[in-house]
Amino acid sequence: MSNYHIKNLEEYFQVYRKSVRNPEVFWEEIAEEHFVWRKRWDKVLQWDFTKPEVKWFENAQLNITENCLDRHLSIRGDKTAILFEPNNPEEEAQHITYFQLHERVSKMANVLKEHGIKKGDRICIYLPMIPELAVAVLACARIGAIHSVVFAGFSSIALSTRINDCDCKMVITSDGSYRGAKTIDLKGIVDVALEDCPGIETTLVVKRTGVKVEMKEGRDKWLQPLLDEAHADCPVEVMDAEDPLFILYTSGSTGKPKGMVHTCAGYMVYTAYTFKNIFQYRENDVYWCTADVGWITGHSYILYGPLANGATTVMFEGVPSYPDFGRFWEIVEKHKVNQFYTAPTAIRALAKENLSFVEKYDLSSLKVLGSVGEPINEEAWHWYNNNVGKKKSPIVDTWWQTETGGILISPIPYVTPTTPTYATLPFIGIQPTLMDENEKEIAGNQVEGRLCIKFPWPSMARTIWGNHDRYRDTYFSAYKNKYFTGDGAMRDEVGYYRITGRVDDVIIVSGHNLGTAPIEDAINEHPAIAESAIVGFPHDIKGNALYGFVILKETGQKRDRDNLRKEINQQITEQIGPIAKLDKIQFVVGLPKTRSGKIMRRILRKIACNDTENLGDISTLLNPEVVESIIKEALK
Ligand code: PRX
């Protein structure tokens, strides 16, 4: 088990040094000792960031589900793999063992095959957080179909864009979904989306809520009867190391969402290795990540990372506020959760409520607390540490991205001393660096710059589906031979990293990555609107909220402003989803622009944050006079 489970700081530094000095030897050992391969690799790593091209474990063959399921059967077949906690606390939790999960995945894989799905086909999964979501993901992986999970909070337009971008052949969805007290008509959303998706041949529908839905003849099929008939045995498709495993969409600062492509071998090795260490997972632990499988956190740290380690992973269908604000802690007590991984926005929302919601429950099983998705502010960190961890469970503030596939900067609990708001040290094998304005690396400590990674790691995305040029331009063109993260960071006197936030036009709202351009596009489609600009401003719970500056057309001038605000948010909900709604909308006569016509968001950001004392130099603007009028209107 060399180097697989790091137990103290000295060992961390020693292993880190080895991983950086000789990455190929290091990752080869990890891959060799801890995974099942059908064929060994010819070369551990081949890379060139200028193309960019990155290949790990080239020519190796494997199937990730053999590593996540089959190999556990003889040693932990009766162990719970997935512990499903339904939205309604009255509904019984389900303990799905590795044997059962293996059988369910195999049957599902056979259903896919019977519907003509083959290796390399794309399947869109649009499901709530129910076991069938995990089963569908793993079934795709078992037969080499590429899954594209779309978060079931996205609108039909967002869904159809994603389905068409990667030419999916099939959608797997459910009749409806439960979210707290609400029931959502998922199938209805899919039906609207599919009006624009000619490539979809089949829709498989899970029955969850039992609401009446329309089933389109020849296209839509209830899943359960098909599973009942399916064979319980499905041999794995043998995959090449660099075959795509999945596509997952993430927002960019411009243009349509980017379908990040992750491949089989490197992704498996890195997510498994990080899971083991960053959550210090031990054989009988119960691990719970509250994310949705619709995001990368759910892919890597609800499903693949935990299952590759034979862990028990909790899947929670509901929300933290239902039936009351104690729900998370009730679940921790009920299932004796040992590792709990959530987002700062959830922590802030719960910290606003009465402490009795936490104090009522026995949280003594907790050993590790995790945070992900955005910078965790100091107040939330202390609330989490004091009230949930009772100052005895280390908080791992894990920094990473959809693109990185796995956690890149994080403490290792019980190994790395933690500091509030610091993601601390690079994980094993990760070589971060900070860049200055002149594209030079910033040496030394107590410095701040743009965060880049200068050497490949196994789980990095390999491309953007259908657009390799965009992949290169977005991540590898700002700094030569480096992966640019889009984040700013500080490095303190001991070398700890603190992430300061996005430096591009992506705004993180409640942990969701939102690009300004798609939201502005959605607003601008309104017939009364001429132009708009979105910026973020601090929000107590969401971290950031969205502030829209909107210019009306002549025709819009006479319209009622409150109605227009509602229509704008409606338009955004339809095009993207409710997560992208604006908290504030200000109608303005103009937007501050540079002489080249670019909107000066820096100024708008200051206005949105009510920080207009120090606007910096606005003399270079094309229209400095609009700034004053925007400020005046904002103060009203
Ligand atoms: O800005 C960083 C922020 O989330 C971005 C990535 O978002 P996404 O691809 O949706 O993945 C989120 C889950 C991995 C990053 O560029 N971010 C993520 N984790 C942290 C963070 N910012 C500060 N601290 C973190 N721990």
Side-chain angles (χ1 to χ4, degrees):
M1 297 290 275
S2 65
N3 300 332
Y4 195 65
H5 192 179
I6 293 154
K7 291 175 218 66
N8 56 57
L9 199 58
E10 198 187 329
E11 195 182 351
Y12 160 80
F13 282 117
Q14 183 205 329
V15 177
Y16 181 78
R17 270 195 298 272
K18 177 173 168 185
S19 73
V20 168
R21 283 191 192 148
N22 214 333
E24 298 195 32
V25 172
F26 175 78
W27 287 111
E28 177 157 68
E29 261 175 42
I30 298 287
E32 210 157 44
E33 289 178 28
H34 304 282
F35 301 90
V36 179
W37 302 91
R38 289 295 182 104
K39 180 176 166 283
R40 215 187 132 81
W41 45 91
D42 297 332
K43 193 165 177 5
V44 179
L45 171 65
Q46 176 154 329
W47 69 292
D48 177 350
F49 275 177
T50 58
K51 285 184 177 168
E53 178 187 79
V54 174
K55 290 180 180 169
W56 282 93
F57 309 110
E58 204 177 353
N59 294 330
Q61 291 185 331
L62 75 153
N63 185 288
I64 197 167
T65 71
E66 194 161 49
N67 284 275
C68 288
L69 300 171
D70 304 61
R71 69 161 157 160
H72 301 313
L73 299 183
S74 61
I75 35 174
R76 47 175 86 89
D78 288 320
K79 178 178 174 177
T80 302
I82 292 181
L83 204 174
F84 172 60
E85 174 67 28
N87 177 62
N88 178 354
E90 305 291 316
E91 194 184 321
E92 217 175 306
Q94 292 175 29
H95 294 253
I96 303 166
T97 66
Y98 274 93
F99 273 131
Q100 292 165 334
L101 186 60
H102 178 261
E103 185 177 313
R104 288 174 71 167
V105 168
S106 302
K107 285 188 170 185
M108 181 78 198
N110 282 326
V111 169
L112 299 181
K113 285 208 269 190
E114 278 156 27
H115 286 82
I117 301 298
K118 301 177 305 300
K119 177 179 173 183
D121 288 343
R122 275 79 61 206
I123 297 190
C124 173
I125 302 176
Y126 186 72
L127 278 171
M129 281 285 287
I130 54 178
E132 287 80 358
L133 170 52
V135 170
V137 163
L138 295 167
C140 289
R142 194 159 187 88
I143 63 168
I146 303 170
H147 56 79
S148 165
V149 182
V150 176
F151 172 59
F154 275 119
S155 69
S156 20
I157 296 176
L159 176 62
S160 62
T161 311
R162 287 161 175 76
I163 288 173
N164 290 332
D165 184 73
C166 63
D167 298 317
C168 293
K169 271 175 107 166
M170 178 189 266
V171 179
I172 306 174
T173 188
S174 64
D175 51 356
S177 68
Y178 296 120
R179 268 188 90 68
K182 282 195 246 164
T183 304
I184 296 153
D185 173 21
L186 276 200
K187 179 65 169 54
I189 297 172
V190 172
D191 288 343
V192 175
L194 294 193
E195 285 169 17
D196 293 325
C197 303
I200 295 295
E201 294 165 6
T202 317
T203 307
L204 300 179
V205 187
V206 177
K207 191 169 255 173
R208 175 59 182 141
T209 58
V211 292
K212 204 170 163 339
V213 295
E214 297 227 354
M215 297 293 278
K216 186 169 169 189
E217 183 77 35
R219 185 193 71 190
D220 301 349
K221 296 184 179 165
W222 290 108
L223 180 62
Q224 195 55 48
L226 300 171
L227 290 173
D228 292 343
E229 295 291 308
H231 218 283
D233 183 42
C234 177
V236 299
E237 179 80 32
V238 177
M239 306 290 284
D240 285 339
E242 285 296 335
D243 278 339
L245 172 65
F246 66 86
I247 301 169
L248 186 60
Y249 285 88
T250 186
S251 316
S253 49
T254 55
K256 58 181 185 177
K258 298 171 287 192
M260 305 312 308
V261 178
H262 284 281
T263 55
C264 295
Y267 176 81
M268 170 182 78
V269 168
Y270 194 78
T271 54
Y273 183 55
T274 44
F275 174 76
K276 177 75 181 167
N277 282 292
I278 293 171
F279 299 101
Q280 290 284 306
Y281 185 82
R282 308 283 166 117
E283 183 63 37
N284 294 316
D285 288 347
V286 174
Y287 162 86
W288 179 21
C289 165
T290 71
D292 193 289
V293 171
W295 310 115
I296 191 69
T297 309
H299 281 61
S300 304
Y301 298 110
I302 295 179
L303 298 183
Y304 289 117
L307 295 176
N309 281 281
T312 296
T313 177
V314 176
M315 257 183 103
F316 174 46
E317 184 185 25
V319 292
S321 54
Y322 179 80
D324 64 35
F325 290 99
R327 187 69 195 276
F328 272 2
W329 321 124
E330 186 233 341
I331 297 172
V332 169
E333 178 184 282
K334 180 170 161 193
H335 299 303
K336 299 198 172 43
V337 171
N338 302 110
Q339 292 90 358
F340 176 76
Y341 190 26
T342 197
T345 183
I347 299 166
R348 286 190 299 263
L350 296 173
K352 280 234 168 313
E353 304 301 326
N354 201 304
L355 255 191
S356 65
F357 284 119
V358 193
E359 286 168 347
K360 220 162 57 197
Y361 297 101
D362 176 5
L363 306 181
S364 60
S365 57
L366 290 172
K367 295 191 288 191
V368 176
L369 301 178
S371 171
V372 61
E374 59 187 303
I376 178 165
N377 51 307
E378 195 141 356
E379 209 183 332
W381 195 97
H382 286 297
W383 186 89
Y384 200 26
N385 186 38
N386 296 343
N387 301 302
V388 181
K390 319 285 181 203
K391 296 191 181 160
K392 66 175 186 50
S393 299
I395 296 178
V396 289
D397 179 357
T398 64
W399 174 85
W400 58 298
Q401 310 176 296
T402 305
E403 295 84 339
T404 68
I407 297 166
L408 298 199
I409 305 184
S410 169
I412 296 176
Y414 302 99
V415 171
T416 322
T418 61
T419 305
T421 78
Y422 281 77
T424 74
L425 296 172
F427 189 70
I428 306 300
I430 304 304
Q431 303 189 34
T433 184
L434 297 179
M435 307 298 290
D436 69 15
E437 309 268 291
N438 304 317
E439 299 172 29
K440 289 248 158 18
E441 276 191 60
I442 307 172
N445 290 347
Q446 286 191 300
V447 291
E448 184 167 356
R450 295 181 169 211
L451 181 61
C452 288
I453 315 286
K454 51 183 181 180
F455 194 84
W457 62 100
S459 67
M460 61 193 295
R462 303 296 196 255
T463 190
I464 292 174
W465 183 265
N467 199 344
H468 197 67
D469 287 349
R470 187 172 180 203
Y471 177 65
R472 186 189 50 238
D473 294 348
T474 311
Y475 304 105
F476 297 91
S477 64
Y479 304 100
K480 194 164 180 277
N481 263 324
K482 290 180 183 65
Y483 166 82
F484 175 44
T485 65
D487 281 330
M490 284 158 38
R491 188 166 55 220
D492 77 359
E493 59 285 356
V494 295
Y496 275 16
Y497 285 87
R498 177 182 182 165
I499 312 300
T500 49
R502 303 289 311 180
V503 294
D504 56 11
D505 291 336
V506 171
I507 306 171
I508 303 206
V509 179
S510 300
H512 303 311
N513 214 329
L514 298 173
T516 51
I519 305 175
E520 289 161 4
D521 290 347
I523 301 173
N524 298 349
E525 276 185 28
H526 191 291
I529 289 163
E531 200 183 355
S532 60
I534 305 295
V535 294
F537 70 100
H539 184 281
D540 278 358
I541 293 173
K542 301 197 240 185
N544 292 297
L546 300 177
Y547 194 126
F549 296 88
V550 175
I551 306 178
L552 291 174
K553 285 187 187 154
E554 188 79 33
T555 49
Q557 303 288 355
K558 305 176 202 84
R559 297 275 318 272
D560 177 78
R561 302 289 157 109
D562 285 339
N563 278 343
L564 273 174
R565 287 192 175 90
K566 281 195 198 119
E567 287 171 23
I568 290 172
N569 271 331
Q570 181 61 27
Q571 186 108 353
I572 294 172
T573 306
E574 276 164 24
Q575 300 260 342
I576 301 160
I579 49 176
K581 284 206 284 198
L582 309 184
D583 273 36
K584 288 194 186 163
I585 298 174
Q586 182 181 345
F587 296 102
V588 294
V589 290
L591 293 168
K593 292 204 174 153
T594 61
R595 285 177 196 279
S596 60
K598 215 168 170 275
I599 297 171
M600 273 271 230
R601 285 171 199 280
R602 179 176 63 76
I603 293 175
L604 295 175
R605 239 175 259 133
K606 292 227 168 204
I607 298 173
C609 298
N610 212 354
D611 172 23
T612 49
E613 295 281 283
N614 194 0
L615 285 181
D617 181 16
I618 59 169
S619 64
T620 56
L621 286 179
L622 193 64
N623 50 356
E625 70 288 350
V626 300
V627 175
E628 194 139 323
S629 89
I630 298 176
I631 295 174
K632 263 201 215 133
E633 288 291 322
L635 294 176
K636 269 191 192 163

